[in-house]
Coordinates of all heavy atoms in Angstrom, one line a residue:
M1 N -7.6 -6.6 -10.8 CA -6.7 -5.7 -10.3 C -7.0 -5.4 -8.8 O -8.1 -5.1 -8.5 CB -6.7 -4.4 -11.0 CG -5.7 -4.3 -12.1 SD -5.8 -2.6 -12.8 CE -4.2 -2.6 -13.5
D2 N -6.0 -5.5 -7.9 CA -6.2 -5.2 -6.5 C -6.3 -3.7 -6.4 O -5.6 -2.9 -7.0 CB -5.1 -5.7 -5.7 CG -5.1 -7.2 -5.5 OD1 -6.3 -7.8 -5.4 OD2 -4.1 -7.9 -5.6
P3 N -7.2 -3.2 -5.5 CA -7.3 -1.7 -5.4 C -6.2 -1.1 -4.7 O -6.0 0.1 -4.8 CB -8.6 -1.5 -4.6 CG -8.9 -2.8 -3.9 CD -8.2 -3.9 -4.8
Y4 N -5.4 -1.9 -4.0 CA -4.2 -1.3 -3.3 C -3.0 -2.2 -3.5 O -3.1 -3.4 -3.6 CB -4.5 -1.2 -1.7 CG -5.7 -0.5 -1.4 CD1 -6.9 -1.2 -1.1 CD2 -5.8 0.9 -1.4 CE1 -8.0 -0.5 -0.8 CE2 -6.9 1.6 -1.1 CZ -8.1 0.8 -0.8 OH -9.2 1.5 -0.5
I5 N -1.8 -1.6 -3.5 CA -0.5 -2.3 -3.7 C 0.4 -1.7 -2.7 O 0.5 -0.4 -2.5 CB 0.0 -2.1 -5.1 CG1 -0.9 -2.8 -6.1 CG2 1.4 -2.7 -5.2 CD1 -0.4 -2.6 -7.5
S6 N 1.2 -2.5 -2.0 CA 2.2 -2.0 -1.1 C 3.6 -2.4 -1.7 O 3.7 -3.4 -2.4 CB 2.1 -2.6 0.3 OG 2.2 -4.0 0.3
H7 N 4.6 -1.6 -1.4 CA 5.9 -1.9 -1.9 C 6.9 -1.7 -0.7 O 6.9 -0.6 -0.1 CB 6.3 -0.9 -3.0 CG 7.7 -1.1 -3.5 ND1 8.7 -0.2 -3.2 CD2 8.3 -2.0 -4.3 CE1 9.8 -0.6 -3.7 NE2 9.6 -1.7 -4.4
V8 N 7.8 -2.6 -0.5 CA 8.9 -2.5 0.4 C 10.1 -3.0 -0.3 O 10.2 -4.2 -0.7 CB 8.6 -3.4 1.7 CG1 9.8 -3.3 2.6 CG2 7.4 -3.0 2.4
P9 N 11.1 -2.1 -0.5 CA 12.4 -2.5 -1.1 C 13.1 -3.7 -0.4 O 13.1 -3.7 0.8 CB 13.2 -1.2 -1.1 CG 12.3 -0.1 -0.8 CD 11.1 -0.7 0.0
R10 N 13.6 -4.6 -1.2 CA 14.4 -5.7 -0.7 C 13.6 -6.7 0.2 O 14.1 -7.5 0.9 CB 15.6 -5.2 0.1 CG 16.6 -4.5 -0.9 CD 17.9 -4.1 -0.2 NE 17.7 -3.1 0.8 CZ 17.5 -1.8 0.6 NH1 17.5 -1.4 -0.6 NH2 17.4 -1.0 1.6
R11 N 12.2 -6.6 0.2 CA 11.4 -7.6 0.8 C 11.4 -8.8 -0.1 O 11.5 -8.6 -1.4 CB 10.0 -7.1 1.1 CG 9.0 -8.1 1.7 CD 7.7 -7.4 2.1 NE 7.0 -6.9 1.0 CZ 5.9 -6.2 1.1 NH1 5.3 -6.1 2.2 NH2 5.3 -5.8 0.0
R12 N 11.1 -10.0 0.4 CA 11.1 -11.2 -0.5 C 10.1 -11.0 -1.6 O 10.4 -11.3 -2.8 CB 10.7 -12.4 0.4 CG 10.8 -13.7 -0.4 CD 10.6 -14.9 0.5 NE 9.3 -14.9 1.1 CZ 8.3 -15.7 0.8 NH1 8.5 -16.6 -0.1 NH2 7.2 -15.6 1.4
V13 N 9.0 -10.5 -1.3 CA 8.0 -10.1 -2.4 C 7.8 -8.6 -2.3 O 7.1 -8.1 -1.4 CB 6.6 -10.8 -2.1 CG1 5.6 -10.4 -3.2 CG2 6.8 -12.3 -2.1
E14 N 8.6 -7.8 -3.1 CA 8.6 -6.4 -3.0 C 7.2 -5.7 -3.2 O 6.9 -4.8 -2.5 CB 9.6 -5.8 -3.9 CG 11.0 -6.0 -3.5 CD 12.0 -5.2 -4.3 OE1 11.6 -4.3 -5.1 OE2 13.2 -5.5 -4.2
W15 N 6.5 -6.2 -4.2 CA 5.2 -5.6 -4.5 C 4.1 -6.6 -4.1 O 4.2 -7.8 -4.5 CB 5.1 -5.4 -6.0 CG 6.0 -4.3 -6.5 CD1 7.3 -4.5 -7.0 CD2 5.8 -2.9 -6.5 NE1 7.9 -3.3 -7.3 CE2 7.0 -2.3 -7.1 CE3 4.7 -2.1 -6.2 CZ2 7.1 -1.0 -7.2 CZ3 4.9 -0.7 -6.4 CH2 6.0 -0.2 -6.9
K16 N 3.2 -6.2 -3.3 CA 2.1 -7.1 -2.9 C 0.7 -6.4 -3.1 O 0.6 -5.2 -2.6 CB 2.3 -7.4 -1.4 CG 1.3 -8.4 -0.9 CD 1.6 -8.7 0.6 CE 2.7 -9.7 0.7 NZ 2.9 -10.2 2.1
G17 N -0.2 -7.1 -3.7 CA -1.5 -6.5 -3.9 C -2.4 -6.8 -2.7 O -2.2 -7.8 -2.0
H18 N -3.3 -5.9 -2.4 CA -4.3 -6.0 -1.3 C -5.7 -5.7 -1.8 O -6.0 -4.7 -2.4 CB -3.9 -5.0 -0.2 CG -2.5 -5.1 0.3 ND1 -2.1 -6.1 1.2 CD2 -1.4 -4.3 0.0 CE1 -0.8 -5.9 1.5 NE2 -0.4 -4.9 0.8
A19 N -6.5 -6.7 -1.5 CA -7.9 -6.6 -2.0 C -8.8 -5.7 -1.0 O -9.8 -5.2 -1.4 CB -8.5 -8.0 -2.1
T20 N -8.3 -5.6 0.2 CA -9.1 -4.8 1.2 C -8.2 -3.9 2.0 O -7.0 -4.0 2.0 CB -9.8 -5.8 2.2 OG1 -8.7 -6.5 2.9 CG2 -10.7 -6.8 1.5
K21 N -8.9 -2.9 2.6 CA -8.2 -2.0 3.5 C -7.6 -2.7 4.7 O -6.6 -2.3 5.2 CB -9.1 -0.9 4.0 CG -9.5 0.1 2.9 CD -10.4 1.2 3.4 CE -10.7 2.2 2.3 NZ -11.5 3.3 2.8
K22 N -8.2 -3.8 5.1 CA -7.7 -4.6 6.2 C -6.3 -5.1 5.9 O -5.4 -5.1 6.7 CB -8.6 -5.8 6.6 CG -8.1 -6.6 7.7 CD -9.0 -7.8 8.0 CE -8.4 -8.6 9.2 NZ -9.3 -9.7 9.5
G23 N -6.1 -5.6 4.6 CA -4.8 -6.0 4.2 C -3.7 -4.9 4.2 O -2.6 -5.1 4.6
V24 N -4.2 -3.7 3.9 CA -3.3 -2.6 3.9 C -2.9 -2.3 5.4 O -1.7 -2.0 5.7 CB -3.9 -1.3 3.2 CG1 -3.0 -0.1 3.4 CG2 -4.2 -1.6 1.8
R25 N -3.9 -2.3 6.3 CA -3.6 -2.0 7.7 C -2.6 -3.1 8.2 O -1.7 -2.7 9.0 CB -4.8 -2.1 8.5 CG -5.7 -0.9 8.3 CD -6.8 -0.8 9.3 NE -7.7 -1.9 9.4 CZ -8.8 -2.0 8.7 NH1 -9.2 -1.0 7.9 NH2 -9.6 -3.1 8.8
Q26 N -2.7 -4.3 7.8 CA -1.7 -5.3 8.2 C -0.3 -5.0 7.7 O 0.7 -5.2 8.4 CB -2.2 -6.7 7.7 CG -3.4 -7.2 8.5 CD -3.9 -8.5 7.9 OE1 -3.7 -8.8 6.7 NE2 -4.7 -9.2 8.7
A27 N -0.2 -4.5 6.4 CA 1.1 -4.1 5.9 C 1.7 -3.0 6.7 O 2.9 -2.9 6.9 CB 0.9 -3.8 4.4
I28 N 0.8 -2.0 7.0 CA 1.3 -0.9 7.8 C 1.8 -1.3 9.2 O 2.9 -0.9 9.6 CB 0.2 0.2 8.0 CG1 -0.1 0.8 6.6 CG2 0.6 1.2 9.0 CD1 -1.4 1.7 6.6
A29 N 1.1 -2.3 9.8 CA 1.5 -2.8 11.1 C 2.8 -3.6 11.0 O 3.7 -3.5 11.8 CB 0.4 -3.7 11.7
W30 N 3.0 -4.3 9.9 CA 4.2 -5.1 9.6 C 5.4 -4.1 9.5 O 6.5 -4.4 10.0 CB 4.1 -5.9 8.4 CG 5.4 -6.6 8.0 CD1 5.8 -7.8 8.5 CD2 6.4 -6.1 7.2 NE1 7.0 -8.1 8.0 CE2 7.4 -7.1 7.2 CE3 6.6 -5.0 6.5 CZ2 8.6 -7.0 6.5 CZ3 7.8 -4.8 5.7 CH2 8.8 -5.8 5.8
D31 N 5.2 -3.0 8.9 CA 6.3 -2.0 8.7 C 6.8 -1.4 10.0 O 7.9 -1.1 10.1 CB 5.9 -1.0 7.7 CG 7.1 -0.1 7.2 OD1 8.1 -0.6 6.7 OD2 7.0 1.1 7.5
R32 N 5.9 -1.2 10.9 CA 6.1 -0.7 12.2 C 7.0 0.6 12.2 O 7.9 0.8 13.0 CB 6.9 -1.7 13.1 CG 6.1 -2.9 13.4 CD 6.8 -3.8 14.4 NE 6.3 -5.1 14.4 CZ 6.8 -6.2 13.8 NH1 7.9 -6.1 13.2 NH2 6.2 -7.3 13.9
G33 N 6.6 1.5 11.3 CA 7.3 2.8 11.2 C 8.7 2.8 10.7 O 9.4 3.8 10.9
R34 N 9.2 1.7 10.1 CA 10.5 1.7 9.6 C 10.7 2.7 8.4 O 11.8 3.0 8.1 CB 10.9 0.3 9.1 CG 11.1 -0.6 10.3 CD 11.4 -2.0 9.8 NE 10.3 -2.9 10.2 CZ 10.2 -4.1 10.0 NH1 11.1 -4.7 9.3 NH2 9.2 -4.8 10.4
G35 N 9.6 3.1 7.8 CA 9.7 4.0 6.7 C 10.0 3.5 5.4 O 10.3 4.2 4.4
R36 N 10.0 2.2 5.3 CA 10.3 1.6 3.9 C 9.1 1.3 3.1 O 9.2 1.1 1.9 CB 11.1 0.3 4.2 CG 12.4 0.5 4.8 CD 13.1 -0.8 5.2 NE 12.7 -1.9 4.4 CZ 13.0 -3.2 4.6 NH1 13.8 -3.5 5.6 NH2 12.6 -4.2 3.9
L37 N 7.9 1.3 3.7 CA 6.6 1.0 3.1 C 6.1 2.1 2.2 O 6.1 3.3 2.7 CB 5.6 0.6 4.1 CG 4.2 0.2 3.7 CD1 4.2 -1.1 2.9 CD2 3.3 0.1 4.8
S38 N 5.6 1.8 1.0 CA 4.9 2.7 0.2 C 3.6 2.0 -0.2 O 3.5 0.8 -0.4 CB 5.7 3.0 -1.1 OG 6.9 3.6 -0.8
I39 N 2.5 2.8 -0.2 CA 1.2 2.3 -0.5 C 0.7 3.0 -1.7 O 0.7 4.3 -1.8 CB 0.2 2.4 0.7 CG1 0.8 1.6 1.8 CG2 -1.2 1.9 0.3 CD1 0.0 1.7 3.1
F40 N 0.1 2.3 -2.7 CA -0.5 2.9 -3.9 C -1.9 2.5 -4.0 O -2.3 1.4 -3.6 CB 0.3 2.3 -5.1 CG 1.7 2.7 -5.1 CD1 2.7 1.9 -4.5 CD2 2.2 3.8 -5.8 CE1 4.0 2.3 -4.5 CE2 3.5 4.2 -5.8 CZ 4.4 3.4 -5.1
E41 N -2.8 3.4 -4.5 CA -4.2 3.2 -4.6 C -4.6 3.2 -6.1 O -4.1 4.1 -6.8 CB -5.0 4.2 -3.8 CG -6.5 4.1 -3.9 CD -7.1 5.1 -3.0 OE1 -6.6 6.2 -2.7 OE2 -8.3 4.9 -2.6
L42 N -5.5 2.4 -6.5 CA -5.9 2.3 -7.9 C -6.9 3.5 -8.2 O -7.8 3.7 -7.4 CB -6.6 1.0 -8.2 CG -7.2 0.8 -9.6 CD1 -6.0 0.8 -10.6 CD2 -7.9 -0.5 -9.7
N43 N -6.6 4.2 -9.2 CA -7.5 5.3 -9.6 C -7.8 5.1 -11.1 O -6.9 4.7 -11.8 CB -6.8 6.7 -9.4 CG -6.7 7.0 -7.9 OD1 -7.7 7.1 -7.2 ND2 -5.5 7.1 -7.4
H44 N -9.0 5.5 -11.4 CA -9.4 5.4 -12.8 C -9.3 6.8 -13.5 O -9.8 7.8 -13.0 CB -10.8 4.9 -13.0 CG -11.0 3.5 -12.4 ND1 -10.5 2.4 -13.1 CD2 -11.4 3.0 -11.3 CE1 -10.8 1.3 -12.4 NE2 -11.3 1.7 -11.3
A45 N -8.4 6.8 -14.5 CA -8.2 8.1 -15.2 C -8.4 7.9 -16.7 O -8.5 6.8 -17.1 CB -6.7 8.5 -14.9
P46 N -8.6 9.0 -17.4 CA -8.7 8.9 -18.8 C -7.5 8.2 -19.4 O -6.4 8.5 -19.0 CB -8.8 10.4 -19.3 CG -9.2 11.2 -18.1 CD -8.6 10.4 -16.9
G47 N -7.8 7.2 -20.2 CA -6.7 6.5 -20.8 C -6.4 5.2 -20.1 O -5.6 4.4 -20.5
G48 N -7.0 4.9 -19.0 CA -6.8 3.7 -18.3 C -6.6 3.9 -16.8 O -6.3 5.0 -16.3
P49 N -6.6 2.8 -16.0 CA -6.4 2.9 -14.6 C -4.9 3.1 -14.3 O -4.0 2.6 -15.0 CB -6.9 1.5 -14.1 CG -6.8 0.6 -15.3 CD -7.0 1.5 -16.5
I50 N -4.7 3.8 -13.2 CA -3.3 4.1 -12.8 C -3.2 3.9 -11.3 O -4.3 4.1 -10.6 CB -2.8 5.5 -13.2 CG1 -3.7 6.6 -12.6 CG2 -2.6 5.6 -14.7 CD1 -3.1 8.0 -12.7
Y51 N -2.1 3.6 -10.7 CA -1.9 3.6 -9.3 C -1.2 4.9 -8.9 O -0.2 5.3 -9.5 CB -1.0 2.4 -8.9 CG -1.8 1.1 -8.8 CD1 -1.8 0.3 -9.9 CD2 -2.5 0.7 -7.7 CE1 -2.5 -0.9 -9.9 CE2 -3.2 -0.4 -7.7 CZ -3.2 -1.3 -8.8 OH -4.0 -2.4 -8.7
T52 N -1.7 5.5 -7.8 CA -1.1 6.7 -7.3 C -0.7 6.5 -5.8 O -1.3 5.7 -5.1 CB -2.0 7.9 -7.3 OG1 -3.2 7.6 -6.7 CG2 -2.3 8.3 -8.8
I53 N 0.4 7.1 -5.4 CA 0.9 6.9 -4.0 C 0.0 7.6 -3.0 O -0.6 8.7 -3.3 CB 2.3 7.4 -3.9 CG1 2.9 6.8 -2.6 CG2 2.4 8.9 -4.0 CD1 4.4 6.9 -2.6
V54 N -0.2 6.9 -1.9 CA -1.0 7.5 -0.8 C 0.0 8.0 0.2 O 0.8 7.2 0.7 CB -1.9 6.4 -0.1 CG1 -2.6 7.0 1.1 CG2 -2.9 5.8 -1.1
P55 N 0.1 9.3 0.5 CA 1.1 9.8 1.4 C 0.9 9.2 2.8 O -0.2 9.0 3.3 CB 0.8 11.3 1.5 CG 0.0 11.6 0.2 CD -0.7 10.3 -0.1
S56 N 2.0 8.9 3.5 CA 1.9 8.3 4.8 C 1.2 9.1 5.8 O 0.6 8.5 6.8 CB 3.4 8.0 5.3 OG 4.1 9.2 5.4
E57 N 1.1 10.4 5.7 CA 0.3 11.2 6.6 C -1.2 10.9 6.5 O -1.9 11.2 7.4 CB 0.5 12.7 6.3 CG 2.0 13.2 6.4 CD 2.8 12.9 5.1 OE1 2.2 13.0 4.0 OE2 4.0 12.7 5.3
E58 N -1.6 10.4 5.4 CA -3.1 10.1 5.2 C -3.4 8.6 5.5 O -4.6 8.3 5.4 CB -3.4 10.4 3.7 CG -3.3 11.9 3.4 CD -3.6 12.1 1.9 OE1 -4.2 11.2 1.2 OE2 -3.3 13.2 1.5
W59 N -2.5 7.8 5.8 CA -2.8 6.4 6.1 C -3.8 6.2 7.2 O -4.7 5.3 7.0 CB -1.5 5.6 6.4 CG -0.6 5.4 5.3 CD1 -0.7 5.8 4.0 CD2 0.7 4.9 5.3 NE1 0.4 5.5 3.2 CE2 1.3 4.9 4.1 CE3 1.5 4.3 6.4 CZ2 2.5 4.4 3.8 CZ3 2.7 3.8 6.1 CH2 3.3 3.9 4.8
T60 N -3.7 6.9 8.3 CA -4.6 6.7 9.4 C -6.1 6.9 9.0 O -7.0 6.1 9.2 CB -4.3 7.6 10.6 OG1 -2.9 7.4 10.9 CG2 -5.2 7.4 11.7
S61 N -6.3 8.0 8.2 CA -7.7 8.3 7.8 C -8.1 7.5 6.6 O -9.3 7.1 6.5 CB -7.8 9.8 7.5 OG -7.0 10.2 6.5
A62 N -7.2 7.3 5.7 CA -7.6 6.6 4.5 C -7.9 5.1 4.7 O -8.8 4.5 4.0 CB -6.5 6.7 3.4
F63 N -7.3 4.4 5.7 CA -7.5 3.0 5.9 C -8.2 2.7 7.3 O -8.0 1.7 7.8 CB -6.2 2.3 5.8 CG -5.5 2.5 4.4 CD1 -4.4 3.3 4.3 CD2 -6.1 2.1 3.3 CE1 -3.8 3.6 3.1 CE2 -5.6 2.3 2.0 CZ -4.4 3.1 1.9
A64 N -8.9 3.7 7.8 CA -9.6 3.5 9.1 C -10.7 2.6 9.1 O -11.1 2.0 10.1 CB -10.0 4.9 9.6
D65 N -11.4 2.3 8.0 CA -12.6 1.5 7.9 C -12.3 0.1 8.5 O -11.5 -0.6 8.1 CB -13.1 1.4 6.5 CG -13.5 2.7 5.9 OD1 -13.9 3.6 6.7 OD2 -13.3 2.8 4.7

C-alpha cells in the first residue's frame, strides 16, 4: 500500500498512489492551485488501515521533507 494517494476528478488516472513525499510534491506542482487535487494519507487505525484526507492548508508543512 502506498502511504499517500492523490485524486483529481476527470484526470485520465483519477487515483494515483505515491510511495514518497516527493511524488506528492510533484502532484501538488502539477495541480498548480487549480483546486481539483485531494491528497490522502495512510493511517493505521483499530480494525485496519484507512486513508484520511490531508487539508490543503497543511500541504506545505506536511510534505516539506
Side-chain angles (χ1 to χ4, degrees):
M1 269 185 155
D2 289 319
Y4 306 102
I5 294 178
S6 65
H7 176 257
V8 177
R10 294 182 297 282
R11 178 172 62 181
R12 187 172 61 108
V13 179
E14 288 190 10
W15 295 92
K16 185 180 276 186
H18 304 282
T20 63
K21 289 183 178 183
K22 180 180 180 182
V24 177
R25 288 192 301 269
Q26 290 172 340
I28 292 169
W30 176 87
D31 188 59
R32 293 186 198 104
R34 288 179 246 181
R36 297 176 20 191
L37 177 68
S38 298
I39 299 175
F40 299 84
E41 181 176 25
L42 180 63
N43 291 300
H44 297 284
I50 59 168
Y51 281 94
T52 56
I53 193 160
V54 179
S56 59
E57 300 84 34
E58 297 178 11
W59 291 355
T60 304
S61 61
F63 305 110
D65 300 328

